[in-house]
Amino acid sequence: MTSTPTRAAEVPPSAPEISAVSVPGTWARRAAAALSFRNIGAVYVWLVIVVLFTVWAPDTFPTMITVKQVLNGNAVAGLVALSVVPPLAARVFDLSIAFTMSLTSVLTAYFMVTSGLGPGAAITLAMTAALLIGVVNGIVVVVLRVDSFIATLATGALIQSLITMVTNDSSITGVRLLAEPFASIAQLDAGGVTLPVLYLLLAALAIWFLLEHTATGRRLYATGFNADAARLQGVRTDRLRFLTLVASALLSGFAGVVFTASVGSGSPTAGTPYLLSAYAAAFVGATQLRAGRFNAWGTVLAVLLLGTGITGLGLATSAQWAASLFTGSVLIVALVLTGGRIALPAVLRRRAKMRPNSTTGKEI
């Protein structure tokens, strides 16, 4: 018998060894991207503002009292700003949020002071009114196909007429608004940080989870980016837009209740100062963390950035017009920088490449 020669056992090619520096290099690139100015530019602007006011008002600004003042003083503004994030994610504008906030503020005070209802019943009725506003907005925008910008502005005017009818343009005050348990809704604190800050964090957490970790959130973003394409994929875009308007009204209405508990009165203009700042914070927040997408934590970051500057100006005893000037300036600078409009080194490099060659006369 002749034995057949046995072939040497083939050794399968080994998998390429992972470089010892590849994993750290990947993490380094991810960290660099996460900490880049384009991703969290508002944080760096915020730090510059903190340093500026620390130098400007060293005796009053760099203290824990200031930190608590910024948090407590901007919690309601943060709630109002968060109320516009879900509609904007679906490309819907709700300009009635300020009027909804004012309405729940005066209704809560009216039911408690004039009608003698308890805090629970008064808040329930006020929030029911906010719910009805959201439903009306949804019907006008989604069912009747009126542009959301115009529709919610019109419903806001109707709400303002109701507020005037109830209050005669006068604030509603009363001892019951300053007493427990209603006052504790906004004035109860832990270590100097009041409950509205907790409400803000919980609202941001809920919206963040909805938008980033649920199918509904992905459908909302799809609706905002291209409603027609989302509809062809089976997304019920009309229902989502309707629900975002309802959610917006409820959250802004809750902000009105918190505002009343905070100041101890129902103001017919409670929400007016928050309208533009809410949209400003939402749009600045859309350039942070999730660039191009309206998101909860970016909005909170923008609210705190603006609140820090306004608080610093107040502590520095500056002119009254300085706060508005600061807000507008920071918004423009933050949007320009985080949007990548200012890239001086890149501009200089491009110009250097376009310079004509000294020998040939041609551009290089």
Side-chain angles (χ1 to χ4, degrees), residues 80 83 94-108 125-137 152 155-160 162-163 245-260 267-272 274-275:
V80 181
S83 71
D94 185 0
L95 298 183
S96 66
I97 54 167
F99 304 100
T100 304
M101 177 181 171
S102 299
L103 181 64
T104 55
S105 174
V106 298
L107 285 183
T108 303
L125 291 174
M127 292 302 297
T128 301
L131 175 62
L132 291 175
I133 292 171
V135 172
V136 170
N137 283 336
T152 55
T155 55
L158 295 176
I159 296 167
Q160 185 59 51
L162 178 60
I163 293 172
L245 288 169
V246 172
S248 176
L250 287 174
L251 188 52
S252 59
F254 177 69
V257 174
V258 175
F259 177 87
T260 300
S267 172
T269 59
T272 303
Y274 295 102
L275 179 60

Side-chain angles (χ1 to χ4, degrees), residues 37 41-42 45 284 287-288 326-342:
F37 195 90
V45 176
V284 172
T287 68
Q288 306 299 307
F326 167 81
T327 301
S329 301
V330 168
L331 287 177
I332 293 173
V333 172
L335 286 171
V336 169
L337 292 180
T338 55
R341 298 294 186 268
I342 293 179

Side-chain angles (χ1 to χ4, degrees), residues 9-37:
E10 295 182 358
V11 180
S14 58
E17 294 184 0
I18 300 177
S19 173
V21 298
S22 63
V23 173
T26 301
W27 282 105
R29 288 192 297 270
R30 290 179 179 177
L35 298 175
S36 66
F37 195 90

Side-chain angles (χ1 to χ4, degrees), residues 9-357:
E10 295 182 358
V11 180
S14 58
E17 294 184 0
I18 300 177
S19 173
V21 298
S22 63
V23 173
T26 301
W27 282 105
R29 288 192 297 270
R30 290 179 179 177
L35 298 175
S36 66
F37 195 90
R38 183 180 294 274
N39 189 47
I40 55 171
V43 174
Y44 300 115
V45 176
W46 191 10
L47 293 176
V48 170
I49 292 172
V50 170
V51 172
L52 173 64
F53 285 111
T54 299
V55 175
W56 191 357
D59 297 329
T60 55
F61 184 79
T63 64
M64 282 303 300
I65 296 176
T66 302
V67 173
K68 296 173 183 177
Q69 184 178 348
V70 170
L71 292 175
N72 296 334
N74 292 280
V76 173
L79 288 173
V80 181
L82 287 175
S83 71
V84 305
V85 171
L88 287 175
R91 197 176 289 184
V92 176
F93 286 89
D94 185 0
L95 298 183
S96 66
I97 54 167
F99 304 100
T100 304
M101 177 181 171
S102 299
L103 181 64
T104 55
S105 174
V106 298
L107 285 183
T108 303
Y110 177 83
F111 288 132
M112 289 185 62
V113 175
T114 305
S115 301
L117 296 179
I123 293 173
T124 301
L125 291 174
M127 292 302 297
T128 301
L131 175 62
L132 291 175
I133 292 171
V135 172
V136 170
N137 283 336
I139 292 174
V140 175
V141 173
V142 178
V143 179
L144 300 181
R145 302 294 179 181
V146 180
D147 181 80
S148 62
F149 194 95
I150 300 172
T152 55
L153 189 62
T155 55
L158 295 176
I159 296 167
Q160 185 59 51
S161 66
L162 178 60
I163 293 172
T164 303
M165 182 177 65
V166 173
T167 65
N168 198 23
D169 284 334
S170 300
S171 297
I172 301 175
T173 58
V175 177
R176 298 189 65 189
L177 299 176
L178 301 172
E180 301 290 343
F182 180 72
S184 62
I185 294 175
Q187 299 180 20
L188 188 66
D189 69 278
V193 178
T194 57
L195 276 181
V197 177
L198 177 61
Y199 305 150
L200 174 63
L201 294 177
L202 291 177
L205 183 64
I207 295 174
W208 165 78
F209 183 81
L210 171 70
L211 294 179
E212 303 294 339
H213 296 281
T214 67
T216 301
R218 292 190 292 273
R219 294 181 184 123
L220 274 175
Y221 281 134
T223 301
F225 286 132
N226 193 326
D228 293 332
R231 193 180 300 110
L232 291 175
Q233 293 296 322
V235 177
R236 298 180 178 179
T237 56
D238 286 345
R239 184 175 68 174
L240 289 175
R241 295 169 69 209
F242 190 102
L243 291 176
T244 58
L245 288 169
V246 172
S248 176
L250 287 174
L251 188 52
S252 59
F254 177 69
V257 174
V258 175
F259 177 87
T260 300
S262 177
V263 301
S265 68
S267 172
T269 59
T272 303
Y274 295 102
L275 179 60
L276 292 180
S277 62
Y279 274 93
F283 275 94
V284 172
T287 68
Q288 306 299 307
L289 305 177
R290 300 283 289 170
R293 295 186 178 187
F294 294 97
N295 64 89
W297 297 118
T299 302
V300 172
L301 174 62
V303 168
L304 294 178
L305 183 153
L306 295 174
T308 300
I310 294 173
T311 300
L313 286 172
L315 294 175
T317 63
S318 59
Q320 294 182 353
W321 48 263
S324 298
L325 178 63
F326 167 81
T327 301
S329 301
V330 168
L331 287 177
I332 293 173
V333 172
L335 286 171
V336 169
L337 292 180
T338 55
R341 298 294 186 268
I342 293 179
L344 187 57
V347 171
L348 294 178
R349 285 195 298 270
R350 284 198 300 268
R351 290 182 177 178
K353 291 180 180 179
M354 297 300 292
R355 283 202 307 268
N357 191 300

